[in-house]
Every structure is written in C-alpha cells, then in structure tokens.
Amino acid sequence: HFTNPLIDNYFKRFVRDFIHYHDNIFCAAGKIMKLLQEEGLQRGFNMDDEGGGGFSAMHVRRGDLQYKEVIISAEEWYANTAPLWYPNEILYIATDEQNKSFFDPIAKHHNLRFLGDYWDKAGLGDLDPSLMGMVEIVVCSRGRLFVGTWHSTFTAYITRLRGYYGTSKVSNYYSFKPRRLVLHKWEYPGGNYAAREFPIGWLGIDGDEFIDGDIEANSTSPIGPLANKSILMEPPPARPTHLSRGFSGLPMNKTPSLQGASRGKINCDINVDSLAYWNNPQGTRDRDFISPFAPKKTDQSNRYITFEQDCGRWNNLRMSLEIVFEIAAATGRIVVLPPIQNLHLEASENKYSFDKFYSFQTDDFKKRLPVISMKEFIEREGGPKGLLQLGDSEYKTLLDLASFCEHRRKSEIFCGKIYEKIIASPNSMVAPFGTGSSLSCLVFDVTIFKEGIDNISEKVESSVKEFCGYRSPAYYTTQLGLPHVLHFNTFNENRLLSHFYEFIHFTDPVIDNHFKRFVRDFMHYSDSIFCAAGKIVRSIQRESLDRGFVIDEEGGGGYSSLHVRRNDLQYKDVLLTEDRWFENTQEIWNPNEILYISTDETQKKFFDPFALKHDLRFLDDYWELADLETFDVEHRGMIDAIVASRGRAFAGTFYSTFSGYINRMRGYYGMSKFTSFYSWNPVKYEMQKGPFFSNENKFEREYPVGWVGIDGDERITQDFEGDAPKNTNSLNAPTKKTQPDPPRPSKNSNTNEKEKMLGDENPSDGLKNLKLQDHGIKTLEETMISMQGFLPSEDENLEQSQDGSSMYIVFSTDCGKFQHWQSYLLFFSAMRIRQPGFITRIASGCTDAQKSEAIEWHEEHIAVLSKRFRIFFTPRFSDIKDENGKSTGSDYKYFNKPFGVRYYLEHSDDFNYVEKTGNLENEDDFVIIIDPDMLLLRPLTTDFSDGSSVKFWNPFAKAIERKKKVVHGTPFGQTYGFSHTWMKFIKEAGPNSPALKVDERTADLHYQVGPPYIATVRDMHKIAVRWSNLVPSVHRAFPQLLSEMYAYCLAAADLQLPHEVVDSMMISAADAYGEGWDFIDAIPDDDVCTTAVAPAYKKYPLPTVLHYCQTYGVSNVLFSKYKIPENIFTCEKPLLVEPADDAMSGENSFFINEIRKRVDLKPKYHKRHTFATCAMTSAVNEAALFYKMHHCKAPANKERTITLVKL
C-alpha cells in the first residue's frame, strides 16, 4: 500500500505494463484465440471493441486443490452456469482434468475446445511444457464470458487480465454456487486474499486518484438479481377487491366496521399497492368513532402525551411508540414526539425524528390523532401563559434542545433537561404504569372510567384477570384524564417493552378491535419505504415467475425469506452457526426457490450452506433499483422487513423484535401461520402451535391476537386455521396441538399447591412431566405411589417399533456392585422415557452366588418395571491371554463387551442361532449396544431422518450425504473423538484385509464410532464375531483403555461396513466435540435444569443419552459416578443433594471438584454442567425414591443429604 494514490497507481501500472508473460506465450495464445474467434464468426458471434469475445471460456480445476467443496461434477458446472452461455456458443475449457469424458454433460449442449485441439496450429510443441498453463490463462482472458474455480489463483489471474483488458465485471463468474456473482460488486481486499483478485488492482489505475468503488454501473446478469427497472413497469398482479385478508380475516357479514372502507394505496412511481395491508379510508364506523375515554367536547383545553425515546434499537422504539399512540388515540391527547436525537442514542449528528418513518401529517392521520414535535410543544406551552411557564432563558435552552439533544446525562445538550421541566409542572403527571413497573397492564373500561374502580363487575374482573394474568392492572380513570400532560418515562426506568395488544386491554371487544385496526391502518411505515420495498418484491417475484413459482392472491410469495440476526443480540442461544441455520430450516424451502435474506451479517460466506442449494438475494442487490442510497440506515431496515414479510415462507430469529414484526405484517397480509418458522429448533413451530395470546409483557415473538379477526366485533381467542394446514401441499408442521402454558399459582397458593405435577404432552409420560420448583422430588411419592412400571398393554405395545421391527438393546457389565446400581438406573431411565424394544443386561463372569443374587434382585426390582427388561449371563471373558492363548494372569474387563455380545447373540433364545449355517432368526431386527453408565434422555431409535433432532458428524467443509435409517449394510454409531487412531493397528486384521483400503478421510467419516452402536441383527453378529477375533491382538498392541473400541472400528472396516456417524446421540464431557451439546446450549437458561430433570424432548431437541463417565458440578453440588455410594438404592440410604433453583445464575458459575478445588465455568460450560448435574442427581434420586416407595416396609430415608463434595 502506497498512501499516495499517484505512487500507488504508478506501481500498479508498472506491474501491468512490465510483469506480463513473454511474447511467445501471447503469440501462441493469440493463434488459439484467433482460431476460436474465426469459428465463432462462422456461427454469428462477433468480437468486442477490444478484440475479445466470439467464444466463452472456463477454468475447471480438478486436482491437488485443498478446498474440496469447489471441486464439483461436470453436471454441477453446467447446472450452475447454463443460463450464461449463448446457444451454439463455443466453450474453451482450461483444465487439469485429463479424462475429457468428464465434460460429456457439458458437451451435450455446446461444442467444447481444449488446449490440445490447437497443438499443431498454435505451435505448442515448440514451447516449454511448463508454459502451457500461461497460454491457457491468456486464452481464457479473452472470452466473452469467463467462469472459473473459486480458490484457484489460476482463475484469479485470468480475472485480473480480464480487468486489464477492460471487460465488464458482469462477464466474470465462479462455478461454486455461493460465489458465482462475487466479482459483480466492488470489494476492497479482505478475507481469503488468495481465493480471488480484487478490482483495486486494475480499476482506474491510469489516473491519479484512489478508486474505492465501481466505475461500471450495475447491470443484470442472467443468473443474478433481476435489477432492471424496466420490468417494474409491467402490470402488477391483479389485486382482490374484498377486504378480508387471507387467514386473518372474517366474512364481510361479520365485519360491519369495514362498511365504507377501501384497500390502501401506496404513493409510488410504480404500482406496488399489493403491499398495502391497511385500509384507506377506514370504514364509516371507524371514521365516526369517538372514544368514550376522551375529554368531553365542552373541554376545550389541550391535553398531551409526552414520552422519552426508548433506550433500545428501532423495533423497541416502535413497540413503545405504538403503545403511546394507542393510549393517546383512546384518551384524546395530542402526541408530542421526543426531541430530535440519534435513534441509537449516540453522540452524533445522525438525526432522526419519528415522522420520517410514519405519515403523521396526512389529513386522515391528523383527524384521528394530532402529532406535534417537541419544538412545537415548547413554542405552544413554554411561554408565561403556557403549561410549562418557562423563563426566557429556559425557553430558549429547551427550544434549542428540542432541535437536537442527546440522552447522556453528562452531555451539554442532555434531553433530560426538557423532561425535568415537563415533570416539574403542576399540570403534568408521570404515568404510573409500564412494562417494568408494578402496574404492568393498562385497562380501559367505560364503566370504571365513568364511575370508578369500586364499580367493577364480575364480568369485567374476569376479563381483566384473563388478560393481565399475574400482572397488576392499572385502570384508566377520570383522574388519569385530568392532567394536561401525561408523561411516560420510557427511556429506561419504566419502559414500554411490550406489544400494544398485550399491554393495553379494552374490556369492550368492539373498542378493543377498533384500536387494533387503528394501529394496523395508521401506524405503518411511510409510502416511500413501502415504495422501495415494493420494487424489490416485484423484482424478485418477476424472477420467480420465470422459474414457475406462483404469487398468492394477496400479491405475496413466489420466493421465501429469512431474517438472520447475528449481532448485538443478548440471547446467545439463538445466534446459530451457518450450518445450524441451514440444517434447522432446509426442509422449509422449495427446490430452486429464491431465498431473500434480511440480515445484519456482513460476511455473505456465512450463507454458503444456503447458496449451495438456492439463489440468494439481499437488500444491497437492489441498491440502484430501489434507490437505497436515498434512505437512511434505519429506513433500509424497514424496507428489509417488508420484503421479508412477503415471502411464501419465512424463518426468523427468536427473541428478535425485527423478526416478530415481520410475522405481524405477515398476519396483517393474512398469511397462514403454517408458513412462519423460527430457526432455533426449540421454538421452530412457535408461530404455528404456540399460544394465541400471552398475558405477560413478552417481546420475543408476536401473537396472533393482534391481527386475527380484528375487523369483527368479537374477541377472538384462537386462530381460524386449526392444528394442521388445510392445503396439504403447503408446508407441513407438527399437527399435534400444544397444551397451553400451565397456570401460575396465585399469591395465596401454598407450597404444596405450587409443587403439584403439571401436565405435559402425553399424560402417560410419568416422571418426565414433572416441572417443579424443587425438581419434583417432593411429589414423586404422590405421582408414582400406584405406579408399577408399565401397564401390561403398554408394555406389550412397546415390544415392537411402529414399523413392526424389534430392537434388542444390550449393555455389558460384570457382577460387581459398582455396575449393579448403574444397571438399575439405566433400566429406570428406560422406563421413564418409554423406550421401545427389549433391554438386556449382559452380566459376564458371575460366580454362582453372584448369579443367584443378581437373578433375585432382577426379578424383585427390575422385572416389575417391565417384562422387556432382562438379564443374560455369560462366562468370564476378561482374562488376558498371550499369543499362544495362555492366560497372563491379568484382566481387561472390557473384553466382556465384544465376547459377551457375541455370546448373547449366539446363545440367547432371542435369535435361535444355528452354528452350522451361521443363521439367526430375526436378522432384520436391530441390535443396539450401549454402556451401563448411560442415562436415557429420549428413546433410542433406528430412524435418524428427523433433521430437527439429529446432527450427523461432518468434519469437512463439504458435508456428505448421510443415510438416515439403519438397514442391512448401514450400521450407525455415535461420534467419538479418536479420529482414525484405530488405523495404527490395521495390520492386526491381516495382509489381505479390506481395512487396508480405507483412507484417513473415510476413516474419519465412517469409522470413528462408539456406543451407541446400532446395526441389524445380521450385521451386528458379523461385527461381533470379527470384533471378538480382533480385540485380543489389538489389546496386545495397545494394552490400554479404548483398545476394544479400536478393535470394533477395525472389525467394521474389515467387514466393509461403514457406519453413519451421528453427533447427537450422546453427550459426555462438557468440552467434547462431535456430541449433542448444541442441543443443550440451545435450551433457555430458565429451562436448563427443569429440562434435565424431566426430559421434554418434544419441546427441546435432546441427545439420546447422557454418558456420565465424567465429573459434573454446579456451585457446591458435584456428581461423579465414582463417588456414588454402592448402596444408593436401599431403604436406609438418603438421597443426593441437588442443584438449587438458581443454578444458572451467574454467581453459581463454578463447582467444587473432588479435591475441593474451585473450578470456574464459562457460560457455555456453566450451562452444560448445570444440565448434566441436574439430570444425574435428580435421576438417581427419582430411581431411589421409586425403589423406596415399592420395596421398603418401614419408613424409608428420603432426606436429601448426600453430598459428593468433601467440605
């Protein structure tokens, strides 16, 4: 970088004019180019002014490039570029691919030419072979269009040469779909410099100035955004004349308020009226409406509402604004806008006033609600006879502040000086209510307003209780109507951070709906904003129509949309990675559908997973088309939201009020609730099956009560769509109706009432339905006293899966007490989550006495849980033998697993193994191997097609296609972090083993697995036989822990049984990768412990098992399986101490480990440790209580006093 642009450009010219290839290279390239152009001329293709064109070119890199995601098939090459090429156009291909048949899919459509075709005519044999690539670079640089390979410096240099020749930026493309159009926008060098070249190297370098933007105007590409203004002049889609909007509206005979109304229009240079969701004019009744809460006509004095600008971002301000304006409209007050200031409350001259976003000064608006500026208010009321009665000096100071001020107390132009004077006036009153105050919902009732609170009727009281819930209501009375100025301290202390329809309640539904219509029909963005958004919508829809997509009756659809919030959001759980955004939403989008993405993410590569499947459009693609340069940054956000609101389907960011408002606009347009989603899996279907209304001041989403049926005269309590889409072709979502949120206990409820069991999705789900203050321990006795495992009918139904197959789940143990209590806990957890299939404990090496004791225990304590829970005994296999088969006198207890599983398969009555033939019955059924120290959180399965609860192992940049179901030849396993270490012992499989052909990439993708292992009976028997054969020699080579796991991987590779590797089946160490911790990270802090205690896997995706092989802790509560008393499941042993209710609070982000040392936890690990600690301590206690309730004659010890921390 030369800071002087004259010098900088001089040296850029130096490189261009001197650092070029030798003439002999250009000579050979010129001969090839001439031959190509002659052939092109014969086909009717002309050259450009600079002597280029007449053919087009590609650079197809195939070998020795580490970025494997860009090495794509010829079919993909053609699919990604087909619209670019002219019919019958010659394509010159520079490539390192030696097999020309690779290009057959392209050759079907175009005549292809390669360097070798011109060997003699270009005299290439006279050149050094190392120069051939340079010749190809020059030839490609002269094509009409050029498509290259992303990440290739060969391609990059071609684009620079094309820049030197002055070719259009729109003539350069990449084959990698996410980067196809990257060269069409000017970009300063950044990121991966080697992936491409930048126009700063050639644009305007013959001048004396630094060029920091495009010289060439943007133009439309055949595969890019359709940004041609001429297409906007085409007639728009026909617009319905009826006023009922889709799924939100009512028939006209139920909407008398719409008599005399018309659909709104948008003042714009093209017709974008379909975007107007409001009515203008409103119906006759609304126009003639007089609020019963306004001053009488005889009262001629002005009354005002003043309010401070909220401290949040725009959509928080909008929410506050809607509440203030609705209150003002209801009470007949004049709205005084806050002083002009920076919308983000920063010290800058970026000045905004709310009337830049809304049309407050139209005749219709002023008739409903007069709005004035703070400057006008001070001019009116600041004089000696005004309400504020300011002195001359104060008057001037406040008038200056009204023109611009800052909400920073230390600032010389502090806005608070104005508000202090307003509040100090005897004619003013500070509103005693707000979302953050003790009075957090506002009630308007005509009788109470006129006669006072003492005259509240039972009907009104019931209505208020239903609306406010446990919020304390403020009633609007004549006393509140008396002050001439009602001031809202909404900056910080008493914010109005709520939706207007959940904060303000009119007990008369006719009035309530009137004011909901007021917000819809008047509190919309200005025409200029909708005009710009309409141009973008029309452009995308025109592009979509060409692809065969349709536009709905209301002028929406044709494309789908997302709002991806990435920055400045305190709820980190919903800030998903690019992979999770795509994985969580991919089934929503139609093939070949354009996706419009509204986002604050500046790095477009974040959206690569989407770009691989879809053409993406962003706001800045339409900079010139929509004249976005004329809008401020806040306006652009509003435009973005409107465009996103018109998508066929929409996926937003939970907790974002920006996404929330998009959903409300979609409701105003009448779009189906089944087309709205969230990206965060725990709330993905919240808009479809979540509550219709909230009686709390929530802001993380919007509620349909704000738009459904508001043109009628009745209070609507549920949507009109039911639990499933009426159109079976529309997006499908879970159709099961969600139970409403359980009622909260009243203030007078006693502790026992608070702790009663709350219902969940399935009344038979037993313990997992507990959602209690103390994690359910006190009420287990009440809920399970008559519970003896499964009901017989339920137990029988669970013998088989829904497809008729059976699962045989096995775990290997010895006969010691340590694995005795673990076995009981595993069986108990299987009962708790209603695990289908047969579960068998394989107990190896028991003495006769141990066997008798184990049988007795099993029959008395395990069989009562389920007749499907079994125990199977095998010989002792743990003896370590030398190469000659003689015992060494040492043990490796994990030999019991491979040998025990094989013994079980060949000797149990479940499979009737025939030794001579090697055949087993039920070989199409499934075997699942787990470990005894695993706690089941959700049922084990053989079907992994549910993308919301399954995450596959994908260690490389380009994900592979995974099979989703266990079948013959396709076993599954959990990811374990030992990579391809097992390959160190590959020689143990023999010199001819197929395992020798497995490379490291395949090993990482398909063989680094551990329990749960899942396979068909046939495949698992093959593995068990080979596993047991290999494990002794692998252990001799590696006589340590994990040798039996390495032997399993080796056996699978030897049998050519690659596994589908799943991350999400298990969690173990809190810092482990390749596990299902992402699901735990996504659980809201308030629900972490309750979800761990009662695994509500239908509410939040959860891993299948918690492998409690590690130590977990939060605050002073510790869990380690090695510290659990072996007699924990007895009558006299007390229960474990559990984490406190506030385990997720910041002050508890640590634990005391086994050696009494404090371990501080970062937020992510704090949540993970809390989940694991709550899950394990509560599960042990629940199992212990179950034991005590059913097997202890005398009163059992139920005190929770066992702590595993030595204090």
Side-chain angles (χ1 to χ4, degrees):
H1 176 61
F2 296 92
T3 57
N4 186 326
L6 273 72
I7 301 173
D8 198 49
N9 284 344
Y10 168 83
F11 283 107
K12 287 175 181 173
R13 293 193 298 272
F14 170 80
V15 172
R16 180 193 66 189
D17 297 342
F18 291 98
I19 314 298
H20 54 73
Y21 296 144
H22 282 303
D23 287 356
N24 60 344
I25 295 172
F26 275 90
C27 178
K31 292 176 181 178
I32 297 172
M33 184 183 73
K34 185 177 180 181
L35 291 167
L36 285 165
Q37 289 176 332
E38 287 175 353
E39 194 174 358
L41 284 169
Q42 294 171 6
R43 300 178 182 216
F45 296 103
N46 296 317
M47 293 179 288
D48 60 34
D49 292 341
E50 290 290 332
F55 67 98
S56 285
M58 296 177 174
H59 169 229
V60 180
R61 175 76 175 269
R62 296 283 299 155
D64 98 316
L65 185 65
Q66 70 263 43
Y67 303 100
K68 304 305 180 187
E69 68 271 19
V70 305
I71 301 178
I72 59 178
S73 66
E75 288 84 357
E76 286 183 85
W77 263 93
Y78 186 71
N80 292 348
T81 62
L84 298 174
W85 318 120
Y86 290 151
N88 200 33
E89 185 175 29
I90 296 170
L91 301 184
Y92 179 84
I93 299 180
T95 183
D96 57 354
E97 176 58 64
Q98 301 300 311
N99 182 5
K100 296 302 183 288
S101 65
F102 171 84
F103 299 100
D104 286 351
I106 304 174
K108 292 178 183 177
H109 308 279
H110 291 274
N111 292 126
L112 307 185
R113 301 292 181 261
F114 299 92
L115 184 68
D117 298 334
Y118 304 95
W119 194 263
D120 294 330
K121 292 182 179 181
L124 298 179
D126 298 331
L127 294 178
D128 187 298
S130 64
L131 303 181
M132 297 304 157
M134 302 175 192
V135 173
E136 294 219 85
I137 285 175
V138 177
V139 175
C140 287
S141 73
R142 305 311 289 127
R144 177 186 67 87
L145 292 182
F146 170 68
V147 180
T149 300
W150 180 248
H151 283 301
S152 166
T153 51
F154 189 101
T155 283
Y157 190 54
I158 292 171
T159 62
R160 196 205 309 168
L161 261 59
R162 292 176 66 80
Y164 287 155
Y165 285 120
T167 57
S168 169
K169 63 182 181 181
V170 188
S171 69
N172 297 315
Y173 297 83
Y174 282 105
S175 61
F176 182 48
K177 197 171 181 181
R179 300 288 181 277
R180 283 191 302 179
L181 308 176
V182 74
L183 293 169
H184 293 194
K185 290 183 180 177
W186 191 92
E187 185 177 341
Y188 191 81
N192 188 343
Y193 293 94
R196 56 166 292 188
E197 295 238 15
F198 294 86
I200 192 176
W202 58 83
L203 278 184
I205 62 175
D206 290 311
D208 290 343
E209 297 179 359
F210 173 74
I211 303 299
D212 61 353
D214 273 334
I215 296 175
E216 178 186 358
N218 287 332
S219 59
T220 299
S221 161
I223 59 174
L226 194 59
N228 189 338
K229 287 189 178 184
S230 64
I231 62 102
L232 300 180
M233 299 306 165
E234 298 175 2
R239 191 183 186 201
T241 56
H242 60 78
L243 297 175
S244 175
R245 304 300 207 278
F247 292 95
S248 302
L250 291 165
M252 283 299 290
N253 62 359
K254 292 187 177 182
T255 55
S257 66
L258 294 182
Q259 296 295 328
S262 297
R263 286 184 172 235
K265 294 180 181 292
I266 296 169
N267 184 17
C268 185
D269 55 341
I270 66 164
N271 189 336
V272 295
D273 288 342
S274 63
L275 269 70
Y277 55 71
W278 55 90
N279 292 329
N280 185 19
Q282 285 189 309
T284 304
R285 197 175 77 177
D286 280 341
R287 290 192 299 244
D288 295 341
F289 177 82
I290 298 175
S291 173
F293 308 101
K296 297 179 180 178
K297 289 185 177 181
T298 55
D299 186 349
Q300 297 297 311
S301 59
N302 287 329
R303 284 177 169 78
Y304 303 93
I305 278 185
T306 60
F307 62 103
E308 300 174 37
Q309 183 174 304
D310 186 90
C311 59
R313 298 288 180 173
W314 165 249
N315 279 285
N316 292 352
L317 272 67
R318 174 188 53 75
M319 293 161 66
S320 176
L321 203 70
E322 289 172 342
I323 292 174
V324 168
F325 273 57
E326 185 176 15
I327 294 172
T331 61
R333 292 179 177 273
I334 299 169
V335 173
V336 180
L337 296 176
I340 296 175
Q341 54 198 295
N342 185 287
L343 271 189
H344 294 168
L345 306 170
E346 296 156 351
S348 79
E349 292 298 309
N350 194 7
K351 300 177 181 180
Y352 294 94
S353 178
F354 291 123
D355 56 6
K356 293 187 68 174
F357 310 125
Y358 296 96
S359 301
F360 296 150
Q361 303 308 320
T362 64
D363 291 340
D364 283 340
F365 202 109
K366 287 191 286 189
K367 287 177 183 177
R368 292 308 159 81
L369 180 62
V371 179
I372 64 174
S373 68
M374 181 61 73
K375 184 178 180 182
E376 291 176 279
F377 173 70
I378 293 172
E379 289 172 340
R380 284 189 191 185
E381 305 293 350
K385 296 182 179 180
L387 297 174
L388 302 184
Q389 299 180 355
L390 303 172
D392 290 345
S393 176
E394 289 179 322
Y395 177 83
K396 184 180 183 306
T397 298
L398 266 59
L399 204 60
D400 289 341
L401 290 174
S403 298
F404 182 72
C405 64
E406 298 173 353
H407 220 305
R408 296 182 300 113
R409 188 168 293 278
K410 293 183 179 180
S411 173
E412 294 181 359
I413 50 173
F414 175 46
C415 300
K417 295 175 183 179
I418 297 178
Y419 302 127
E420 288 168 1
K421 291 299 179 183
I422 292 174
I423 294 169
S425 169
N427 300 303
S428 301
M429 176 183 182
V430 176
F433 43 82
T435 58
S437 73
S438 58
L439 302 174
S440 52
C441 68
L442 178 60
V443 177
F444 286 87
D445 178 78
V446 175
T447 302
I448 291 174
F449 177 71
K450 293 179 178 179
E451 302 176 10
I453 190 66
D454 294 336
N455 291 288
I456 187 170
S457 66
E458 284 188 15
K459 181 179 179 181
V460 169
E461 189 172 18
S462 174
S463 172
V464 172
K465 186 174 181 180
E466 181 182 2
F467 180 87
C468 295
Y470 294 95
R471 297 176 291 173
S472 298
Y475 294 90
Y476 193 82
T477 62
T478 53
Q479 287 75 23
L480 282 174
L482 291 176
H484 286 81
V485 179
L486 184 63
H487 179 73
F488 285 84
N489 181 10
T490 48
F491 171 66
N492 202 358
E493 295 178 10
N494 214 352
R495 299 177 72 186
L496 296 176
L497 191 59
S498 180
H499 305 303
F500 71 92
Y501 50 77
E502 65 184 10
F503 179 74
I504 302 172
H505 177 55
F506 296 91
T507 58
D508 183 340
V510 175
I511 300 175
D512 197 51
N513 284 342
H514 167 84
F515 284 108
K516 286 175 181 172
R517 292 193 296 275
F518 167 79
V519 173
R520 179 193 67 191
D521 295 341
F522 288 98
M523 299 297 293
H524 55 79
Y525 296 140
S526 66
D527 283 0
S528 62
I529 294 170
F530 271 92
C531 177
K535 292 176 180 178
I536 299 172
V537 170
R538 288 277 307 278
S539 175
I540 302 174
Q541 288 178 334
R542 184 67 186 82
E543 202 178 345
S544 301
L545 287 170
D546 292 340
R547 300 178 182 214
F549 292 93
V550 297
I551 299 171
D552 64 33
E553 182 190 45
E554 290 292 336
Y559 63 97
S560 284
S561 53
L562 304 88
H563 169 229
V564 180
R565 176 77 176 269
R566 293 283 299 149
N567 302 309
D568 192 30
L569 186 65
Q570 67 265 44
Y571 303 99
K572 304 307 179 187
D573 292 335
V574 303
L575 297 179
L576 309 181
T577 63
E578 59 268 44
D579 291 338
R580 287 188 62 197
W581 253 103
F582 180 71
E583 290 168 5
N584 293 356
T585 64
Q586 58 183 320
E587 82 286 355
I588 298 171
W589 323 119
N590 287 329
N592 199 35
E593 184 174 34
I594 293 172
L595 300 184
Y596 180 84
I597 299 181
S598 169
T599 185
D600 58 356
E601 176 57 65
T602 58
Q603 298 298 318
K604 296 298 191 292
K605 67 180 180 181
F606 179 86
F607 302 102
D608 282 0
F610 289 97
L612 287 168
K613 300 289 185 180
H614 298 271
D615 287 326
L616 308 185
R617 302 292 180 256
F618 300 91
L619 184 67
D620 58 8
D621 292 331
Y622 303 94
W623 197 261
E624 287 85 8
L625 178 82
D627 297 315
L628 296 179
E629 191 172 308
T630 63
F631 292 94
D632 296 316
V633 64
E634 294 295 344
H635 285 119
R636 293 174 202 150
M638 299 169 192
I639 295 167
D640 224 5
I642 295 168
V643 178
S645 75
R646 304 310 288 127
R648 176 193 64 83
F650 169 70
T653 301
F654 197 65
Y655 290 115
S656 166
T657 50
F658 189 99
S659 281
Y661 191 54
I662 291 171
N663 275 321
R664 195 207 302 174
M665 286 194 287
R666 291 173 68 80
Y668 286 154
Y669 286 120
M671 304 195 79
S672 169
K673 68 179 183 180
F674 294 108
T675 64
S676 288
F677 302 82
Y678 281 108
S679 60
W680 188 37
N681 272 340
V683 293
K684 182 172 182 175
Y685 301 105
E686 181 71 12
M687 293 305 298
Q688 303 175 24
K689 63 178 185 176
F692 184 78
F693 167 72
S694 170
N695 56 12
E696 300 178 67
N697 290 317
K698 292 187 174 182
F699 60 85
E700 58 266 31
R701 56 160 289 200
E702 296 238 14
Y703 295 87
V705 71
W707 57 82
V708 171
I710 64 175
D711 291 313
D713 287 346
E714 298 178 2
R715 194 179 308 284
I716 304 298
T717 58
Q718 61 183 16
D719 62 66
F720 304 146
E721 295 189 73
D723 297 331
K726 292 182 174 60
N727 179 2
T728 56
N729 293 323
S730 64
L731 287 162
N732 291 321
T735 58
K736 191 173 181 179
K737 186 173 182 179
T738 301
Q739 297 292 331
D741 289 340
R744 293 187 175 186
S746 65
K747 293 180 179 178
N748 297 323
S749 300
N750 58 33
T751 301
N752 290 333
E753 189 67 25
K754 290 181 183 179
E755 294 175 348
K756 282 184 179 177
M757 190 178 80
L758 303 175
D760 200 353
E761 295 173 337
N762 185 345
S764 70
D765 280 354
L767 290 175
K768 79 182 181 72
N769 292 330
L770 297 173
K771 194 173 185 181
L772 307 164
Q773 183 180 4
D774 68 343
H775 314 321
I777 295 304
K778 291 184 179 179
T779 59
L780 271 172
E781 191 163 2
E782 299 169 21
T783 61
M784 295 182 63
I785 191 66
S786 62
M787 185 175 170
Q788 288 284 347
F790 297 94
L791 297 174
S793 59
E794 184 183 7
D795 206 28
E796 185 174 344
N797 290 336
L798 287 170
E799 288 184 1
Q800 292 184 325
S801 301
Q802 292 182 350
D803 62 1
S805 63
S806 291
M807 287 186 285
Y808 296 88
I809 301 164
V810 298
F811 61 98
S812 171
T813 74
D814 56 24
C815 276
K817 293 182 178 180
F818 179 61
Q819 292 187 323
H820 191 62
W821 70 261
Q822 293 178 42
S823 301
Y824 183 81
L825 182 60
L826 194 157
F827 282 123
F828 180 83
S829 71
M831 179 195 74
R832 185 171 68 162
I833 53 99
R834 278 14 189 190
Q835 173 64 55
F838 299 91
I839 305 178
T840 300
R841 174 187 177 185
I842 300 175
S844 300
C846 303
T847 64
D848 289 344
Q850 288 174 325
K851 184 175 179 179
S852 297
E853 183 181 348
I855 291 173
E856 183 181 353
W857 167 269
H858 186 88
E859 290 177 350
E860 184 176 352
H861 301 101
I862 305 299
V864 296
L865 304 179
S866 168
K867 66 178 183 179
R868 297 174 297 106
F869 296 172
R870 304 166 172 178
I871 189 168
F872 182 86
F873 297 92
T874 79
R876 173 174 170 268
F877 297 112
S878 57
D879 187 29
I880 299 176
K881 299 178 180 179
D882 61 23
E883 294 180 359
N884 299 317
K886 294 183 178 180
S887 174
T888 63
S890 300
D891 269 11
Y892 183 62
K893 64 180 180 180
Y894 298 110
F895 282 162
N896 285 327
K897 186 184 296 185
F899 287 102
V901 169
R902 177 178 179 178
Y903 191 90
Y904 161 71
L905 292 171
E906 295 180 354
H907 292 82
S908 77
D909 295 334
D910 290 334
F911 309 104
N912 293 323
Y913 172 70
V914 179
E915 187 173 0
K916 288 184 178 180
T917 62
N919 293 334
L920 300 97
E921 289 184 359
N922 310 328
E923 65 174 13
D924 295 333
D925 288 332
F926 304 96
V927 175
I928 303 177
I929 303 174
I930 58 177
D931 286 341
D933 56 347
M934 286 183 170
L935 182 78
L936 292 172
L937 302 175
R938 60 180 298 138
L940 290 154
T941 182
T942 60
D943 185 344
F944 294 85
S945 56
D946 180 5
S948 65
S949 61
V950 175
K951 184 176 181 182
F952 285 97
W953 169 242
N954 280 307
F956 302 109
K958 185 174 182 180
I960 65 167
E961 186 66 29
R962 292 284 191 182
K963 298 175 182 177
K964 303 299 191 295
K965 293 185 179 181
V966 181
V967 294
H968 292 307
T970 307
F972 279 59
Q974 164 65 38
T975 313
Y976 274 69
F978 47 66
S979 187
H980 48 269
T981 309
W982 61 271
M983 297 181 74
K984 295 178 180 179
F985 316 107
I986 208 164
K987 66 178 183 179
E988 307 301 332
N992 299 316
S993 171
L996 293 166
K997 298 179 181 179
V998 175
D999 58 27
E1000 291 183 357
R1001 188 176 192 275
T1002 303
D1004 285 344
L1005 284 171
H1006 292 292
Y1007 292 105
Q1008 62 164 313
V1009 293
Y1013 301 118
I1014 310 175
T1016 62
V1017 171
R1018 181 203 301 170
D1019 286 347
M1020 190 61 82
H1021 180 247
K1022 291 179 182 177
I1023 292 173
V1025 171
R1026 191 65 177 126
W1027 187 15
S1028 58
N1029 289 336
L1030 288 171
V1031 70
S1033 60
V1034 172
H1035 185 265
R1036 280 193 294 272
F1038 183 73
Q1040 299 179 38
L1041 190 66
L1042 301 184
S1043 60
E1044 85 288 353
M1045 297 184 71
Y1046 295 155
Y1048 180 97
C1049 301
L1050 181 56
D1054 183 71
L1055 294 166
Q1056 301 181 72
L1057 286 173
H1059 285 51
E1060 296 300 341
V1061 187
V1062 182
D1063 286 350
S1064 52
M1065 275 200 285
M1066 182 187 80
I1067 52 175
S1068 59
D1071 59 350
Y1073 70 90
E1075 296 188 357
W1077 283 113
D1078 282 355
F1079 293 154
I1080 309 307
D1081 297 342
I1083 300 172
D1085 286 359
D1086 291 344
D1087 291 348
V1088 171
C1089 204
T1090 53
T1091 303
V1093 170
Y1097 61 88
K1098 294 178 182 178
K1099 181 178 181 182
Y1100 298 121
L1102 292 175
T1104 307
V1105 301
L1106 169 52
H1107 190 188
Y1108 55 93
C1109 54
Q1110 305 291 323
T1111 297
Y1112 312 102
V1114 61
S1115 187
N1116 62 347
V1117 179
L1118 184 76
F1119 181 87
S1120 168
K1121 69 178 183 180
Y1122 302 105
K1123 300 289 184 180
I1124 297 293
E1126 291 180 344
N1127 62 342
I1128 187 68
F1129 299 131
T1130 57
C1131 298
E1132 63 277 2
K1133 201 68 178 176
L1135 306 175
L1136 300 177
V1137 171
E1138 294 188 54
D1141 293 336
D1142 63 346
M1144 276 301 297
S1145 67
E1147 63 187 23
N1148 289 322
S1149 59
F1150 72 95
F1151 70 92
I1152 307 300
N1153 66 13
E1154 298 97 321
I1155 58 174
R1156 300 174 60 185
K1157 189 173 183 179
R1158 178 184 172 115
V1159 178
D1160 289 316
L1161 298 170
K1162 293 181 179 180
K1164 178 168 74 173
Y1165 301 116
H1166 178 201
K1167 178 178 284 190
R1168 295 179 177 186
H1169 274 270
T1170 299
F1171 181 90
T1173 308
C1174 289
M1176 290 312 307
T1177 55
S1178 64
V1180 170
N1181 283 348
E1182 288 174 12
L1185 260 165
F1186 187 90
Y1187 176 91
K1188 295 174 190 292
M1189 285 186 288
H1190 298 301
H1191 303 290
C1192 300
K1193 296 180 180 179
N1197 188 345
K1198 300 177 184 179
E1199 297 294 324
R1200 285 179 288 172
T1201 58
I1202 297 178
T1203 176
L1204 305 184
V1205 178
K1206 294 182 179 180
L1207 301 175

